[in-house]
Amino acid sequence: MAVGRSAALKVDWTKIGTSLGIKGQTAAALQAFKKRNEDARRRVQLLSEQPQEVDFKHYRSVLKNQSVVDEIESQTKAYKAVTYDVGRQIKTIEAFEAQAVKNAEDTKGKVDVELKELEKTLKNIEDARPFEDLTVDEVVAARPDIDARTTQLVSKGRWSVPGYKEKFGDLSLL
């Protein structure tokens, strides 16, 4: 128990969350577990500070009815502490751990996919030609929606782009 207690005291809860990048449901579950751990540690500390031995000599000297003290003393000596099977709690902890590992693996998979997409985007940005060197056909091939919008505006007789004059000014005066 002393080894478990010393290991529990060395857990750096903030480092666990930040170093592993835990977010969402896993972070909430970790915070709940941390709170339960702190509450249990506090209760154990309070109970360990309380006196565990009963001074029956003191009660014999204070009370007139010695038979009551004798009866309580005999019952206290006959008392055996009940041991509990902690298997159920351990199974719960293992299930929590398995769920946390599964969530971490899912998150890792999502992050890996996103990193690959970002690396691909970065490669495209680095390899892209300057905008001035692009032809209209290359722009249309990359973004067919621009060609469709232009065709739509021309078919309706609109030769100017909405918002162009407000943004760049009216060049018709030149």
Side-chain angles (χ1 to χ4, degrees):
M1 182 69 177
V3 173
R5 191 175 299 144
S6 66
L9 293 173
K10 293 179 183 178
V11 173
D12 185 3
W13 294 102
T14 56
K15 187 175 180 183
I16 289 174
T18 56
S19 67
L20 298 177
I22 296 174
K23 294 180 180 166
Q25 180 184 8
T26 307
L30 182 65
Q31 288 298 327
F33 183 77
K34 174 186 172 191
K35 183 179 182 310
R36 286 193 312 268
N37 177 287
E38 289 172 353
D39 290 345
R41 187 177 306 142
R42 199 172 302 116
R43 283 189 217 135
V44 166
Q45 181 66 27
L46 286 173
L47 291 174
S48 66
E49 291 173 357
Q50 294 178 356
Q52 298 173 0
E53 295 289 325
V54 179
D55 186 10
F56 289 106
K57 291 179 187 177
H58 170 72
Y59 288 109
R60 280 193 183 92
S61 67
V62 173
L63 298 174
K64 293 180 183 178
N65 190 351
Q66 300 293 313
S67 64
V68 172
V69 177
D70 292 337
E71 184 179 336
I72 293 173
E73 184 177 15
S74 65
Q75 288 180 0
T76 303
K77 289 181 179 177
Y79 174 75
K80 303 248 188 210
V82 177
T83 58
Y84 289 99
D85 180 22
V86 293
R88 193 174 95 218
Q89 286 84 3
I90 290 174
K91 286 179 184 177
T92 303
I93 292 170
E94 288 173 349
F96 171 78
E97 181 180 327
Q99 182 66 32
V101 168
K102 180 181 174 276
N103 287 347
E105 289 173 352
D106 291 346
T107 303
K108 182 184 179 294
K110 290 176 185 176
V111 168
D112 287 344
V113 167
E114 189 174 339
L115 279 174
K116 286 179 183 176
E117 290 175 4
L118 289 172
E119 287 173 357
K120 182 180 175 185
T121 302
L122 182 61
K123 180 83 170 136
N124 284 341
I125 290 170
E126 290 172 347
D127 294 345
R129 292 189 326 207
F131 186 75
E132 302 84 36
D133 295 345
L134 294 177
T135 64
V136 173
D137 293 333
E138 291 171 336
V139 172
V140 169
R143 296 279 312 271
D145 60 316
I146 293 175
D147 190 38
R149 179 73 174 142
T150 305
T151 304
Q152 179 188 17
L153 289 174
V154 170
S155 69
K156 292 182 179 179
R158 296 186 186 150
W159 296 96
S160 64
V161 177
Y164 184 85
K165 288 183 181 178
E166 290 80 14
K167 188 171 184 180
F168 299 107
D170 191 4
L171 298 178
S172 62
L173 299 174
L174 298 175

